[in-house]
Amino acid sequence: MSKPVAYIETSVVSYLTAKQPRDVIVTAYQEVTREWWGTAFAAFELVASELVKTEAEAGDERAARGRLKALEPVKLLDITEDAEYLTRRLLDQGAVPRQAAADAAHIAIAVTNGVDYLVTWNFRHIANAAMRSRIEQVCRGAGYEPPVICTPNELMESGHAQEKA
């Protein structure tokens, strides 16, 4: 039985490797992310994309090195023509705002690669309850079954990894 596949969006790697902030909510997200990451490789096949790598390279050089190091054991998926097409559909049909084209691309890459989970802390345009049904509708309209969009803490419950297996 193969492990479920989880696409790691950039916010997860950022929380994993960032310095301790003063914001208690962000601190909690970091702690959850680090705890989940410690067990994730045993429960999931972790994947990301070239887009995640590009975003991880941006910003402070030292922080970028930490993000890239965390991504080393993660398989990177290519941005295919199918993903580019679905990205355009997500934007054109208003499932994701045009200014969030990179977020639409993360969704499209995960969807077109048939992953089981898209793991993110991006509540603005990805793990957003108000947008999720429209995202899923556009994906299904294009002939794809969308992944479960969730945060690391939602995958820490026992049994989640086995649900899709």
Side-chain angles (χ1 to χ4, degrees):
M1 194 178 327
S2 64
K3 295 185 216 176
V5 179
Y7 178 95
I8 307 303
E9 187 266 334
T10 314
S11 62
V12 174
V13 177
S14 294
Y15 279 128
L16 176 69
T17 61
K19 289 190 276 184
Q20 191 76 16
R22 293 175 192 248
D23 183 316
V24 295
I25 293 172
V26 174
T27 298
Y29 289 169
Q30 285 182 315
E31 289 176 17
V32 166
T33 302
R34 290 173 181 151
E35 183 180 341
W36 178 75
W37 193 262
T39 62
F41 287 92
F44 302 94
E45 178 186 342
L46 299 184
V47 298
S49 67
E50 290 295 333
L51 176 57
V52 172
K53 183 178 177 191
T54 299
E55 290 177 342
E57 290 171 336
D60 177 78
E61 188 177 320
R62 187 169 168 202
R65 276 196 309 271
R67 290 187 295 269
L68 292 172
K69 178 129 180 82
L71 283 170
E72 284 177 2
V74 177
K75 176 185 172 187
L76 296 183
L77 304 172
D78 293 325
I79 302 169
T80 63
E81 286 183 25
D82 288 345
E84 290 173 356
Y85 169 75
L86 185 56
T87 299
R88 286 191 301 278
R89 279 188 73 148
L90 288 163
L91 297 170
D92 291 346
Q93 295 183 26
V96 178
R98 290 214 174 271
Q99 72 269 21
D103 295 338
H106 285 297
I107 295 165
I109 293 164
V111 169
T112 57
N113 279 281
V115 304
D116 300 301
Y117 299 97
L118 191 169
V119 187
T120 184
W121 285 112
N122 180 334
F123 295 112
R124 189 166 208 180
H125 301 122
I126 302 177
N128 181 307
M131 298 172 71
R132 187 173 292 137
S133 65
R134 185 76 182 128
I135 290 168
E136 291 173 353
Q137 182 181 33
V138 171
C139 293
R140 288 186 179 114
Y144 295 99
E145 184 59 29
V148 174
I149 297 172
C150 58
T151 60
N153 62 318
E154 292 176 288
L155 291 179
M156 287 185 6
E157 297 290 323
S158 65
H160 278 217
Q162 287 74 35
E163 286 178 11
K164 288 257 185 172

